[in-house]
Amino acid sequence: MAVTMKDVAEHAGVSLPTVSRVINDTSYVNAETRAKVLAAIEELQYVPNQMAASLRSNNTKTLALLVPDIASSFWTTVLRGVEDEAMARGYHVFLGNTDDDPAKEARYIDGLVRRRIDGLLIAPTAKSVPLLRRLRQQGMGCVVVHRPVSGLEIDTVRSDAYASAVILTQHLLAAGCRRIAFIGGEIEQGRLRAYRETLAAAGQVLDPALVRIGPLSEQVGEQLVNTVLARNPPPDAIFIGNNRLATGALHALGRANAQRSEPIAIAAFYDSAALSVYAPPMIAAIQPAYEIGRYSTRRLFDRLANKPVDGHEIILSNRIMIVSGAHTPSLEPAAG
Amino acid sequence: MAVTMKDVAEHAGVSLPTVSRVINDTSYVNAETRAKVLAAIEELQYVPNQMAASLRSNNTKTLALLVPDIASSFWTTVLRGVEDEAMARGYHVFLGNTDDDPAKEARYIDGLVRRRIDGLLIAPTAKSVPLLRRLRQQGMGCVVVHRPVSGLEIDTVRSDAYASAVILTQHLLAAGCRRIAFIGGEIEQGRLRAYRETLAAAGQVLDPALVRIGPLSEQVGEQLVNTVLARNPPPDAIFIGNNRLATGALHALGRANAQRSEPIAIAAFYDSAALSVYAPPMIAAIQPAYEIGRYSTRRLFDRLANKPVDGHEIILSNRIMIVSGAHTPSLEPAAG
DNA sequence: AGCCCTCGAGAAATCGTTAACATAGTTTCG
DNA sequence: CGAAACTATGTTAACGATTTCTCGAGGGCT
């Protein structure tokens, strides 16, 4: 049916492995022979069968990235970083969307293992540790993206959310805010901890009603803001711990602030893509999504090549940005 | 190294093909034998090698979806539809992001053909017709998603953008608008045509300066709105022809309308996900993204199974929605 | 008794590549 | 000058599954 390497070999008048050598550039081939083979490939419109190659050579030239939320610009930006790095090496990337659901995650991973992908980049759910452990036992190259994993020494690439959260909280305190609400996601405990500890260090007592955790979506962001705003007395600042929540939360806050003389101060984990769409005055921590994607992938390739690497955690720093009154976000970095 | 079917067979005391029969449920197997085999699989933690299976059986149980913009909630929703339909049949989906760049598209497709995917769902760029033609020649199952293709009879699943655009334009006209601006994307000519023809049919002359085409991003949406608003006299309505543009455009319009006594009327191709984040008063055409994904995939499977299908175009209708003053969008459908 | 179907399972061929090994002519170098 | 090293190609054996063929036992028909 389809054109195979054998056909190409016959057409070019050479042996089959020679064709393979030309294609993969894997051994010496005479320039004339190479030309003949390339001509035959062109003429027959031959496309190599990756299945057969993978079966024999034991690698698929394929990675996978499992993200919790494909609709988040953070994750799509990570994907871009991963793809750029992978494609440059001739690899393809399988993208999977887990919705932070362990069952979905498991289903994906089963399919990926069946397909013998070479390596996995994953933002694991809270319950994925045993799964990760098993994967590593099976010898699958794994890098955890953007989320710290406890109880398992595994390569991780993330930004230092804790440190940024401290800076953001301190900034609000320095601005004189005394009732700082927090909204965030279940999985991002580090940011909540940073907020709590920074308030405590400053001798502030926090109103538990001002801390709201919820699933990561725009709608929830909006709801959580409305919930904390309804508290009496209302907060004088809000810390938004997640970029997806932020998109909804900022709109709610925009409407609320429009009707106040004294606006509610805002600190948020936000996103450079989202920033260019909507950016009210606030202090924001912008996570280096693209770089996280690239570094994760590089680390994965290093592992696959058995290169020695030092440490199993790569921590990138967020960009702290102060957005002033104008809509167009100022580009002055406030800290590293 | 890894556990193979042979190992399972030996462990279970049966022959290798029997294991295959148990796994694929492809022939009679005694209940006891089956139990033994399943136990062996469990014990050895065997995971089938899809490469080997695909090589022999000539199918990969893998589809691919190539979208122009992964950051658009429209396309991620399409993906959900595709995945639900595919996973239910034991297929996996390769997602690729082309950015509407023919070169990127070609690179992806090469990788997919190498990997011998069973079928392709694609939102082609404006220049993809020859590529599609070649793919079909090679026998690759193809379904075009959401975009009409001219000069080629190929399965297509899309919504009737033209009809909706007519309704939206008529609605603006009926509301008394006389200077209706249009912003949209290069690729979506049908909507622009509908707008032009409806205006012409109503005897309206259109100011060419009020028609702006640009690449599909939030920022551009915002810019295009600002451009047409700067026109003197300004438009009294804006037709936004794309959901991605709409996200940016609506914010710009929101700010503009806040400072006017007579607000600018809005008609937009929008998105149910985006709608729940931000929805000013307007008339919107909501495209059935999830259904588009599902129907495309079903059609693809029908083709792969050589089922007879009638026609090569499936056209779904958009939901026309009138969002009234309140932020929470009304759910009253205005037309089919 | 003879025939055909259902049920069950093994032997061997096969899918399209790459890896390992073999073979030789030609340089290079101590 | 002879051993090693490089260049260039062919032969053969995997890789890990599925498919086809074959064989048999048992049951229900004519």
Side-chain angles (χ1 to χ4, degrees):
Chain A
M1 188 79 218
V3 180
T4 72
M5 213 171 227
K6 196 177 154 201
D7 301 323
V8 175
E10 281 167 9
H11 198 87
V14 299
S15 74
L16 195 147
T18 299
V19 178
S20 173
R21 285 189 265 258
V22 169
I23 289 176
N24 301 311
D25 201 24
T26 182
S27 165
Y28 307 103
V29 176
N30 184 290
E32 269 181 56
T33 314
R34 157 170 287 121
K36 272 195 299 184
V37 170
L38 290 176
I41 289 176
E42 183 60 29
E43 194 165 342
L44 299 179
Q45 293 255 48
Y46 169 68
V47 182
N49 184 326
Q50 182 71 45
M51 299 299 118
S54 296
L55 177 58
R56 184 66 242 258
S57 67
N58 208 31
N59 66 17
T60 50
K61 299 262 178 208
T62 307
L63 307 180
L65 171 64
L66 252 39
V67 304
D69 177 14
I70 202 193
S72 150
S73 53
F74 173 80
W75 288 110
T76 56
T77 307
V78 169
L79 172 65
R80 286 199 135 80
V82 172
E83 278 200 327
D84 287 352
E85 199 71 30
M87 290 229 165
R89 290 171 164 87
Y91 277 66
H92 265 232
V93 179
F94 236 126
L95 176 67
N97 179 215
T98 65
D99 285 326
D100 259 328
D101 170 0
K104 260 187 126 173
E105 181 180 81
R107 264 216 310 284
Y108 263 116
I109 288 183
D110 178 61
L112 297 171
V113 173
R114 279 178 128 78
R115 282 167 181 75
R116 298 293 192 268
I117 56 160
D118 294 334
L120 176 65
L121 298 154
I122 181 172
T125 73
K127 290 165 188 158
S128 307
V129 173
L131 199 149
L132 289 175
R133 206 183 301 266
R134 185 148 44 80
L135 278 175
R136 292 233 311 196
Q137 241 172 27
Q138 294 173 1
M140 163 85 79
C142 265
V143 172
V144 169
V145 185
H146 190 55
R147 291 183 172 175
V149 165
S150 61
L152 185 62
E153 271 221 351
I154 191 166
D155 283 317
T156 305
V157 177
R158 59 185 181 87
S159 67
D160 192 350
Y162 183 92
S164 303
V166 169
I167 293 174
L168 262 49
T169 313
Q170 284 172 342
H171 183 91
L172 293 177
L173 287 171
C177 302
R178 288 300 170 263
R179 281 182 63 71
I180 306 176
F182 179 98
I183 71 176
E186 192 81 54
I187 196 118
E188 289 143 351
Q189 291 296 323
R191 303 169 193 186
L192 177 54
R193 205 156 36 77
Y195 155 85
R196 282 218 160 97
E197 292 174 5
T198 307
L199 287 194
Q204 298 286 318
V205 276
L206 77 84
D207 179 353
L210 291 184
V211 175
R212 293 282 158 200
I213 301 296
L216 301 177
S217 76
E218 284 85 357
Q219 292 96 303
V220 169
E222 198 159 344
Q223 286 164 18
L224 293 181
V225 162
N226 290 333
T227 310
V228 294
L229 287 185
R231 180 75 180 164
N232 201 336
D236 56 6
I238 295 195
F239 185 123
I240 307 164
N242 174 275
N243 68 314
R244 194 81 200 279
L245 291 178
T247 307
L250 291 179
H251 287 126
L253 277 167
R255 281 190 296 278
N257 273 345
Q259 298 169 352
R260 284 165 178 269
S261 52
E262 191 78 0
I264 296 166
I266 307 172
F269 276 74
Y270 210 41
D271 192 88
S272 58
L275 203 61
S276 57
V277 178
Y278 185 61
M282 66 176 160
I283 178 167
I286 309 295
Q287 298 178 307
Y290 183 76
E291 285 73 21
I292 289 178
R294 294 195 64 155
Y295 278 98
S296 311
T297 313
R298 273 190 220 161
R299 170 53 60 97
L300 183 53
F301 278 120
D302 286 350
R303 286 295 184 191
L304 294 180
N306 280 317
K307 274 195 202 158
V309 296
D310 41 71
H312 62 95
E313 214 173 28
I314 297 176
I315 299 180
L316 306 173
S317 44
N318 297 315
R319 199 156 44 107
I320 305 294
M321 199 182 245
I322 293 176
V323 182
S324 53
H327 167 66
T328 309
S330 80
L331 287 169
E332 38 159 327
Chain B
M1 188 79 215
V3 180
T4 73
M5 211 171 228
K6 196 177 154 201
D7 301 324
V8 175
E10 281 166 8
H11 198 89
V14 300
S15 75
L16 193 148
T18 299
V19 178
S20 173
R21 286 190 264 258
V22 169
I23 288 176
N24 300 312
D25 202 23
T26 181
S27 166
Y28 306 105
V29 176
N30 183 289
E32 268 181 58
T33 314
R34 159 170 284 120
K36 273 196 300 184
V37 170
L38 290 176
I41 288 175
E42 182 60 30
E43 194 165 342
L44 299 179
Q45 294 255 48
Y46 170 67
V47 182
N49 184 326
Q50 181 73 44
M51 299 300 117
S54 297
L55 177 58
R56 184 67 240 261
S57 66
N58 209 30
N59 66 16
T60 50
K61 300 262 178 207
T62 307
L63 307 180
L65 170 65
L66 252 38
V67 304
D69 178 14
I70 200 193
S72 149
S73 53
F74 174 81
W75 288 111
T76 57
T77 307
V78 169
L79 171 66
R80 284 198 135 81
V82 172
E83 277 201 326
D84 286 353
E85 199 71 29
M87 289 229 167
R89 291 171 162 88
Y91 278 65
H92 264 233
V93 179
F94 236 127
L95 175 68
N97 179 216
T98 65
D99 284 326
D100 259 327
D101 169 0
K104 261 186 126 174
E105 181 181 80
R107 264 217 310 284
Y108 263 115
I109 288 183
D110 178 62
L112 297 170
V113 173
R114 280 177 126 78
R115 283 168 180 74
R116 298 293 192 269
I117 56 161
D118 294 333
L120 177 65
L121 299 153
I122 180 173
T125 73
K127 290 165 188 159
S128 307
V129 173
L131 199 148
L132 288 174
R133 206 182 303 264
R134 185 148 43 80
L135 278 175
R136 291 233 311 197
Q137 241 173 25
Q138 293 172 3
M140 162 86 77
C142 265
V143 172
V144 168
V145 185
H146 189 56
R147 291 182 173 176
V149 165
S150 60
L152 185 62
E153 271 222 350
I154 190 166
D155 284 318
T156 305
V157 178
R158 59 185 180 88
S159 66
D160 192 350
Y162 183 91
S164 304
V166 169
I167 294 174
L168 262 48
T169 313
Q170 284 172 342
H171 183 92
L172 293 177
L173 287 170
C177 301
R178 287 300 170 265
R179 283 182 61 73
I180 305 177
F182 178 97
I183 70 176
E186 192 81 54
I187 196 117
E188 289 144 351
Q189 291 296 323
R191 302 167 195 187
L192 177 55
R193 204 156 36 77
Y195 154 85
R196 283 217 159 96
E197 291 175 6
T198 308
L199 286 194
Q204 298 288 316
V205 276
L206 77 82
D207 178 355
L210 291 183
V211 174
R212 293 284 157 199
I213 303 296
L216 302 176
S217 75
E218 284 86 357
Q219 292 96 302
V220 170
E222 198 160 343
Q223 286 164 17
L224 294 181
V225 163
N226 290 332
T227 309
V228 294
L229 286 186
R231 179 77 179 163
N232 201 338
D236 56 6
I238 295 196
F239 184 124
I240 307 164
N242 173 276
N243 68 315
R244 194 81 200 279
L245 291 178
T247 307
L250 291 179
H251 287 125
L253 277 166
R255 280 189 297 277
N257 273 345
Q259 299 169 352
R260 285 167 175 268
S261 52
E262 193 76 1
I264 297 166
I266 307 172
F269 276 75
Y270 209 41
D271 192 88
S272 58
L275 204 61
S276 56
V277 178
Y278 185 62
M282 64 177 160
I283 180 168
I286 309 295
Q287 297 176 307
Y290 182 77
E291 286 73 22
I292 289 178
R294 293 195 66 155
Y295 278 98
S296 312
T297 312
R298 272 189 221 163
R299 171 51 63 97
L300 183 54
F301 277 120
D302 286 349
R303 286 295 183 190
L304 294 181
N306 280 317
K307 275 194 200 157
V309 296
D310 41 71
H312 62 95
E313 213 172 30
I314 297 177
I315 299 179
L316 307 174
S317 44
N318 296 316
R319 200 155 44 107
I320 306 293
M321 199 182 245
I322 294 175
V323 182
S324 54
H327 167 64
T328 308
S330 82
L331 287 169
E332 40 161 324

